[in-house]
Amino acid sequence: MDWMAWTWPTAIFFMVIGALLVTMTIIAALRPETPRVGILRIETTRGDRLFISLLGSAFISLAWLGMFGPPLWGALIACLIYAAAVFRFV
Amino acid sequence: MDKTVNQKAWFLVLPVLVLVAFSAVIPLMTVVNYSFQDTFGQNVFFWAGFEWFEQVLASERIRDALGRQILFSAIILAIEVPLGILVALCMPRKGIWVSVCLVLMALPLLIPWNVVGTIWQVFARVDIGLLGRTLSELGIDYNYTQDALDAWITIIVMDVWHWTSLVALLAYAGLVSIPSAYYQAAKIDQASRWKVFRYIELPKMQGVLLIAILLRFMDSFMIYTEPFVLTGGGPGNATTFLSIDLVKTAIGQFDLGPAAAFSLIYFLVILLISWVFYTVMVNLDKKEGV
């Protein structure tokens, strides 16, 4: 864990993102999809929606931290709801 | 006929993946690691949690730098884009002057950024610089090292001088690619010069102009070398933009943790804005393609 100053929380964070990417790749290979147009009026694929979810979640967490401070469990719940909404409607 | 499935080509992408991993992904991961820790050197780290992020979000100094950065990007975009289009419209479309114009326009783009900073630093000096001396001889009270407004004007003029050519060249490429049939049709309809610009040239330039705006926005939002060489962020903090402030935190004060948290937020903001630009661009292309 000394290499690159790793700690478990950051390692888990990257493992989750890595796992998400691998899962999306497998899903894309098994069930190919066509892009769709959602409420943002732009064509999105599953990968695009994952990107929008992750980027938006980062900003939700930062906003939570700025307004209420840690812990971020509330922000995590908000991020999950946001991600679900992105995958459903965007 | 069935399509053959052959995924071997993916192996050819492998070198790029490795390169990107080592040049971008792994360093970024290190920054994430640093942003949650504190260090006193000797490669010894302590867990700090969200402390640095809270500090950065609450920091007035960084908020001011962000404000200055946004103002700077807005000003230079508002000047460079219309000016670039105007220059492109004035450039000749055929004849020997085309190459002369193109070379002249490309010249400022070829100069290294620190040299641009040095050129303007000398050029604007009140004691020996041509610009500074002339202005003071004319009775104008100008001193970019002491007056914040003068420093801002100098940096903006320097950026316009350095980068308007990029917008002009891109706009010119867009203009040249418009088929002459459009102009002929406009002539038959007796369209005015303004209408030709508004309904033919501007829509046809839309794609390249978006690229120009994206490039200029990104560059101006990350600007470091030129203002650093010219004013060093001064007078006071008047021209301390985000990257100058970041370098001060990371290298000047050696606060790796706060600097890492700061750069992550900086990165996220740039990523968001670039994504918006990219999405708009791709969707415009699709609309045009239909």
Side-chain angles (χ1 to χ4, degrees), chain B residues 98-169:
Chain B
V98 174
S99 19
V100 176
C101 273
L102 286 179
V103 170
L104 281 179
M105 294 303 293
L107 269 180
L109 301 175
L110 299 176
I111 304 175
W113 298 0
N114 49 354
V115 178
V116 172
T118 315
I119 290 175
W120 279 82
Q121 209 230 22
V122 175
F123 185 50
R125 274 177 66 160
V126 184
D127 49 354
I128 53 165
L130 186 63
L131 174 72
R133 191 68 192 262
T134 313
L135 285 176
S136 62
E137 292 286 322
L138 288 173
I140 299 166
D141 185 23
Y142 168 86
N143 191 337
Y144 74 94
T145 54
Q146 281 165 16
D147 187 273
L149 184 68
D150 291 349
W152 265 81
I153 293 173
T154 316
I155 289 186
I156 287 166
V157 173
M158 173 179 68
D159 200 85
V160 168
W161 175 83
H162 194 183
W163 289 110
T164 303
S165 328
L166 179 78
V167 182
L169 288 177

Side-chain angles (χ1 to χ4, degrees), chain B:
Chain B
M1 199 178 81
D2 278 342
K3 216 168 135 190
T4 352
V5 179
N6 183 352
Q7 308 278 31
K8 276 181 203 146
W10 285 106
F11 282 107
L12 299 175
V13 186
L14 213 58
V16 176
L17 279 181
V18 174
L19 205 70
V20 171
F22 276 93
S23 68
V25 181
I26 294 176
L28 190 66
M29 286 166 129
T30 324
V31 173
V32 174
N33 282 339
Y34 285 167
S35 70
F36 291 99
Q37 301 181 73
D38 196 4
T39 180
F40 300 107
Q42 312 268 320
N43 219 15
V44 180
F45 289 90
F46 307 93
W47 179 252
F50 294 110
E51 202 185 318
W52 304 135
F53 285 92
E54 281 180 278
Q55 191 181 311
V56 168
L57 288 172
S59 161
E60 203 132 299
R61 186 180 118 182
I62 293 171
R63 222 172 283 169
D64 288 349
L66 178 68
R68 282 191 285 269
Q69 188 73 71
I70 292 170
L71 183 66
F72 175 73
S73 291
I75 292 176
I76 63 119
L77 279 180
I79 298 175
E80 286 175 18
V81 175
L83 189 63
I85 296 174
L86 197 68
V87 172
L89 286 172
C90 296
M91 278 165 71
R93 308 277 169 88
K94 49 188 157 195
I96 48 161
W97 289 105
V98 174
S99 19
V100 176
C101 273
L102 286 179
V103 170
L104 281 179
M105 294 303 293
L107 269 180
L109 301 175
L110 299 176
I111 304 175
W113 298 0
N114 49 354
V115 178
V116 172
T118 315
I119 290 175
W120 279 82
Q121 209 230 22
V122 175
F123 185 50
R125 274 177 66 160
V126 184
D127 49 354
I128 53 165
L130 186 63
L131 174 72
R133 191 68 192 262
T134 313
L135 285 176
S136 62
E137 292 286 322
L138 288 173
I140 299 166
D141 185 23
Y142 168 86
N143 191 337
Y144 74 94
T145 54
Q146 281 165 16
D147 187 273
L149 184 68
D150 291 349
W152 265 81
I153 293 173
T154 316
I155 289 186
I156 287 166
V157 173
M158 173 179 68
D159 200 85
V160 168
W161 175 83
H162 194 183
W163 289 110
T164 303
S165 328
L166 179 78
V167 182
L169 288 177
L170 283 168
Y172 183 72
L175 279 176
V176 171
S177 67
I178 302 174
S180 57
Y182 283 88
Y183 291 109
Q184 285 159 9
K187 216 169 206 176
I188 292 169
D189 287 343
Q190 292 186 325
S192 63
R193 182 70 193 86
W194 165 251
K195 285 201 163 146
V196 170
F197 174 70
R198 173 68 189 80
Y199 295 104
I200 298 175
E201 292 173 331
L202 199 57
K204 284 282 165 194
M205 282 194 290
Q206 213 170 25
V208 279
L209 280 182
L210 265 171
I211 296 176
I213 293 173
L214 176 66
L215 285 176
R216 280 318 300 135
F217 170 78
M218 296 268 301
D219 258 352
S220 65
F221 210 73
M222 299 188 292
I223 193 164
Y224 176 78
T225 319
E226 295 136 302
F228 180 74
V229 174
L230 186 68
T231 63
N237 270 340
T239 53
T240 301
F241 299 118
L242 280 176
S243 52
I244 295 183
D245 204 23
L246 178 62
V247 172
K248 268 187 197 165
T249 318
I251 296 168
Q253 299 158 221
F254 206 69
D255 282 336
L256 280 189
F262 182 3
S263 40
L264 278 180
I265 296 173
Y266 195 1
F267 168 68
L268 283 173
V269 171
I270 289 184
L271 191 62
L272 175 72
I273 297 170
S274 309
W275 176 78
V276 170
F277 269 112
Y278 174 77
T279 314
V280 170
M281 228 152 64
V282 168
N283 280 279
L284 263 182
D285 280 354
K286 270 183 197 152
K287 256 186 218 155
E288 270 179 15
V290 168

